[in-house]
Amino acid sequence: MIDTDTTSPVTRRFRPPAVPQVELRGFWGQRADVVADRTVHILYDRCVAAGMFDQIDPDRTAPGKVVSYDGGLMTSQMFWDSDFGKIIELASYTLFRKPDSTLEAKVDAIVDIYERLQQPDGYLNSWFQRIEPGLRWTNLRDTHELYNAGHMIEGAVAYFQATGKRKFLDIMCRYADYIASVFGPDAGQIRGYDGHEEIELALVKLARVTGRTDYLELAKFFIDERGQQPHFFDLEALQHGRDPAEYHFKTHEFSQSAEPVRDQRKVVGHAVRAMYLYAGMSDIATEFHDAALETALEGLWADLTTRKMYVTGGIGPSRTNEGFTFDYDLPNLTAYAETCAAVGLVFWSSRMLGLGPNRVYADIMEQALYNGASSGLSLDGSRFFYENPLASRGDHHRWEWHRCPCCAPNIARLTASVGSYMYGEGSNSLAVHLYCDSTANLDVGGRKVEIVQTTEYPWSGSILLQVNPERGTDSFTLYLRVPGWSSSYTLSINGEPEVVAMNDGYLALHRDWTRGDEVRLDLAMDVETIHAHPFVGDDAGRVALRRGPLLYCLEGGDNERPIASLSIATTKGAERVALDGAPGIVGLRLSGYADDMEAWGGKLYQSRPAATKAATLTAVPYYAWANRAAGDMQVWVRKAPE
Amino acid sequence: MIDTDTTSPVTRRFRPPAVPQVELRGFWGQRADVVADRTVHILYDRCVAAGMFDQIDPDRTAPGKVVSYDGGLMTSQMFWDSDFGKIIELASYTLFRKPDSTLEAKVDAIVDIYERLQQPDGYLNSWFQRIEPGLRWTNLRDTHELYNAGHMIEGAVAYFQATGKRKFLDIMCRYADYIASVFGPDAGQIRGYDGHEEIELALVKLARVTGRTDYLELAKFFIDERGQQPHFFDLEALQHGRDPAEYHFKTHEFSQSAEPVRDQRKVVGHAVRAMYLYAGMSDIATEFHDAALETALEGLWADLTTRKMYVTGGIGPSRTNEGFTFDYDLPNLTAYAETCAAVGLVFWSSRMLGLGPNRVYADIMEQALYNGASSGLSLDGSRFFYENPLASRGDHHRWEWHRCPCCAPNIARLTASVGSYMYGEGSNSLAVHLYCDSTANLDVGGRKVEIVQTTEYPWSGSILLQVNPERGTDSFTLYLRVPGWSSSYTLSINGEPEVVAMNDGYLALHRDWTRGDEVRLDLAMDVETIHAHPFVGDDAGRVALRRGPLLYCLEGGDNERPIASLSIATTKGAERVALDGAPGIVGLRLSGYADDMEAWGGKLYQSRPAATKAATLTAVPYYAWANRAAGDMQVWVRKAPE
């Protein structure tokens, strides 16, 4: 089942490289440095400060319940194993980038603690071992029990890939083996799944790194069972003396289990849960060549991207369910658009590329990565957004910590691992999904190929790729993505212009590649205005600004007046400018109008419109907002008639 | 201190007539009938169903705490006396309009219960007598103790005016006398005030009906003390073993007590509290000719009406504090704009007219009354809005009851008592603030004058007033308001055109009035577009529609497409139309555009704007929305360039 070199369409199945295979420079190199230099240490220190070690360390006194919210429904302590999993995964990526023996020793110490905590049968969950013992596997709907396991598996895989150390991987394999014995269709097994998806995609990672196909089968079991009738969560509740109707979130749509996953076409419920499920489904579709899953995924993708996604790639407008509501419900000011959900969309999008290069998926991956996800981490790597609204009246600020600390390590681990999302490795091909100054050591059906990208992307659309097969000369297909936002492009190989047919938004360059071959791709990168579907009420009469993959916004500190009183005249003649306090970041300056406040007077309402006067507007990339002076912000800006 | 006939400017001091002095027909007559026929009975039945009688009746077993919310901070039971007070006030108004011996017997029964409940010292509060005994006067900040007394006083005054029965009035006088003994500046007295203002304006009503100036002095004491240092609520907390810093609402701005009231210029905190305070301040300013209070009130008025008021007259945008935030923070979809707050604005505005006829106040009174307040009651009188947003995606519906049932009786008592807001009685003058088909029996310095209004207002701007002095001929000034929304008017007396100077938006007609004199006022009542201050982000590029005092909105059921996809071309040629399912209500039909969905296609975002095609838009008065088919709604509609 592990991908084999067969005929089309299987030849178009792709796997991501491991993070250590890609050395980032340029835009993402700088972001990864910030994460390695600051964020990972901040997050580790927060774990200490929150008392998380007291919970997991069997040699300390268990602290009892110390953090709770939502009327006692759950506590973030239930997720603390997942936080350690994410921290270890993040540390793995930064250790590869910047060796740090002190940090590595800290990770080893956490691994040692978990080794001591693990029960003889393999079970490993600090909450149910030390805070609520005796309740193991009694409430999968609400308690994130397998979710925790999933994040720890991801951490173990990353740590093994970064350091070669097997201890944590072995611990998690023992736990996974135990989970495989507990869950399944046989008598005496639990025929169920977790309320918060995550274990599925993690088991695929574990299978790929260990070659263990039984982990794939277990992931597939969780996916196959989800939403079947009689409903597992109802049976589980009854078995453990709870009323199934007494469910805070009312409907199993919250956990995407209201119907079997292959029947699902509508994106529903908690946004992060949804993304993690679809990511796992995509992996299983890739690994099992599962057409019914692919059909469902295509329907879900269309539903999300044509009716339920912010232009930032942010998703899940509602705070109430941290998730989806109804079609075209995309309010800007109150957008929940959790950082984790945009990160999850990157996860899902990247895994859709496992089915083959297709910019339908890569464009959205890029859109969410550069905008709605990256906005979650401050430029200096020390502060975070949980919510990512598309407008602010100046009262939305980054926080240093959060009672539910899921987003900070999530955006940090994504930022530090972007290299893994840049490429797809096929059996006789390579796909370049994302561009960034970098050096990658990739695998094409067992042969090594180095790809050196030289580019100032995303600030420029000029990309030079040097292709260096290890064997000197090698024949394979190099797929290059031409982003949908680019109105035109030119391609040359070793200085000679090339015209190549484009399929699904990728140029397929098949040739005998010789060490030192140079491919130059020049993407037109104009300043564009984007209009939203007329049913999106908040965006009517407004435009968003985009240049390349970056969405821009107007921020109070860069503009003279409240943003609400400004309108865009045209993007013609828009200039790229440096921004005060944001070195290296390209701002945009363009012409517009400001409502004339002197002519308006002091009234709140009157029967004539405001007069306008010419004004210069300055826009900043959305991901970089709220890093300088506090103030108001709008992504969707009024458009004056031209 | 009770208003006396002295020289200017005191001669411009006005008092409202009692509700029974004005017989409503026409628009408000129909609304008052609905309240008398349905609402008052529904609200009484809800009191029974909620078990409120168990709490107040000393002959029943006290129920203990049965309703709580906000993490136990407070329970609506604490306000139940106020609900009975409002129900009695409401019933008084409807009993005058439609005698109903059954309803009157129910009110008498409630009064009898309170008579039995009242303690020998006069104290009367069912919560502190029967649910939390022993805690009397220990937490004025949070428990609405004097607020309850205020509403019961208002009920007692109204019941006396409607029926002539003194029992409840005497009960509340005994309680007020006791309060006067407890609160004051002397040793052994509590030098404090209530966290929720209401007692102040109620004591003024009680003073006016009883002629007892000591009740005015007590009201003035509460107003004078508010916000003084050291802060009463802090002292109170310390005295009763609580930490003053442990305050859910963080700042005393919540209760408008962060500074002395005469120093206040910014409208802050809980919106209903604020309105009730300013109403009380206005009464005291009128009664005591208090220039410092007037200055504060003018500043607060300017702050509210030029920076913090929805075009509906709704106020208090935030759910968090049920109140005010920052300047120009007027989001439409999430507007809290509690019904009680708009009702409170009517209270305040009407009392500013005590200082003299001035349409600055009367216009806003009318705006809040017809729009943001009246929207709180369904056309059939059976369902209610607590919140009054200015936009809905179809998910905002009226409720039948609410855990905090303040708004339903509040809008009902206002609707049934509109006659009292129509006029001001001066020592030698009458002011007509509002127009409605009606007959009023008014008092001008002790002389009786009947005013018969014949008009279809607010559907038409033509008003005929017949002036009938009891003594046949009488000399006094009749002030007629010319609303600020009217671009022109004509005036005639007994068929002869008259030109009269306008002062503060009122025409002052001074003459010897003879029984049968007819004044005709014709107000231009065009369909207008209103623009909001450019700093109000949600309203930029949009207009609201107004005709006369009525604000209009677009409602889904009347229009073909989601409102978000519509824009207004012009109000020229706007037609008045009947609306399906809303007999007697004048809708508007005007020309506009609809985004062309077929031309747009299926994308969520694209780089060109939507094409538009001509469309006919149908608008409904805002107060009447959400009474027919469910659907989306917008007050602020996109305006296409003309």
Side-chain angles (χ1 to χ4, degrees), chain A residues 160-421:
Chain A
F160 168 70
Q161 289 176 325
T163 64
K165 294 180 185 174
R166 289 200 64 97
K167 187 193 273 188
F168 196 31
L169 192 67
D170 291 340
I171 289 170
M172 293 315 298
C173 283
R174 283 197 295 276
Y175 188 15
D177 294 343
Y178 169 69
I179 292 169
S181 74
V182 170
F183 287 86
D186 296 337
Q189 289 186 303
I190 299 172
R191 192 160 184 165
Y193 43 87
D194 202 82
H196 196 315
E197 304 91 331
E198 155 67 20
I199 185 78
E200 301 83 357
L201 69 86
L203 285 168
V204 173
K205 280 192 175 180
L206 190 62
R208 286 175 174 169
V209 82
T210 62
R212 290 268 303 267
T213 56
D214 55 335
Y215 295 144
L216 287 184
E217 296 288 350
L218 181 58
K220 183 169 182 298
F221 165 79
F222 287 132
I223 282 172
D224 290 346
E225 285 301 317
R226 194 167 206 89
Q228 302 291 348
Q229 292 292 345
H231 203 285
F232 168 63
F233 292 149
D234 294 342
L235 298 178
E236 178 192 58
L238 289 171
Q239 186 186 342
H240 297 288
R242 300 186 307 267
D243 178 356
E246 291 284 314
Y247 179 39
H248 179 77
F249 295 105
K250 308 296 183 199
T251 154
H252 293 312
E253 285 196 342
F254 180 72
S255 59
Q256 299 78 43
S257 65
E259 53 183 350
V261 299
R262 286 174 183 76
D263 297 339
Q264 295 186 22
R265 298 293 182 274
K266 290 284 174 193
V267 168
V268 294
H270 186 266
V272 179
R273 281 171 168 78
M275 293 305 107
Y276 286 18
L277 168 64
Y278 308 152
M281 286 166 64
S282 303
D283 280 339
I284 295 301
T286 296
E287 295 295 344
F288 288 85
H289 300 177
D290 187 325
L293 272 184
E294 287 183 31
T295 302
L297 287 163
E298 284 163 9
L300 292 165
W301 183 269
D303 187 53
L304 180 72
T305 59
T306 66
R307 288 182 282 274
K308 297 190 175 106
M309 186 187 75
Y310 286 101
V311 71
T312 54
I315 54 177
S318 170
R319 173 188 300 272
T320 307
N321 65 346
E322 297 193 314
F324 297 103
T325 54
F326 49 90
D327 290 354
Y328 307 108
D329 180 33
L330 297 165
N332 293 317
L333 194 66
T334 60
Y336 196 71
E338 186 183 335
T339 299
C340 281
V343 169
L345 178 53
V346 176
F347 293 163
W348 180 25
S349 307
S350 68
R351 283 162 175 85
M352 292 300 281
L353 294 168
L355 301 169
N358 188 335
R359 81 172 174 203
V360 162
Y361 306 113
D363 281 0
I364 298 285
M365 176 172 78
E366 186 179 62
Q367 190 171 351
L369 172 64
Y370 275 94
N371 303 294
S374 286
S375 55
L377 181 65
S378 69
L379 294 178
D380 69 0
S382 71
R383 287 170 305 131
F384 312 93
F385 273 150
Y386 199 96
E387 297 153 54
N388 295 274
L390 280 76
S392 167
R393 288 183 295 236
D395 52 350
H396 188 68
H397 305 296
R398 296 174 184 278
W399 40 269
E400 295 188 351
W401 197 236
H402 195 278
R403 62 181 186 182
C404 180
C406 53
C407 293
N410 230 356
I411 180 58
R413 70 182 175 129
L414 174 62
T415 301
S417 64
V418 162
S420 174
Y421 297 85

Side-chain angles (χ1 to χ4, degrees), chain B residues 219-228 256 259-266 277-278 280-281 284-285 288-300:
Chain B
K220 183 169 181 298
F221 166 79
F222 288 132
I223 281 171
D224 291 345
E225 285 301 316
R226 195 166 205 90
Q228 302 292 348
Q256 298 78 42
E259 53 183 349
V261 299
R262 285 174 184 76
D263 297 339
Q264 296 186 21
R265 297 294 182 274
K266 290 285 175 193
L277 169 64
Y278 308 152
M281 286 166 63
I284 295 301
F288 288 84
H289 302 177
D290 186 325
L293 272 183
E294 286 183 33
T295 302
L297 286 164
E298 284 164 10
L300 292 164

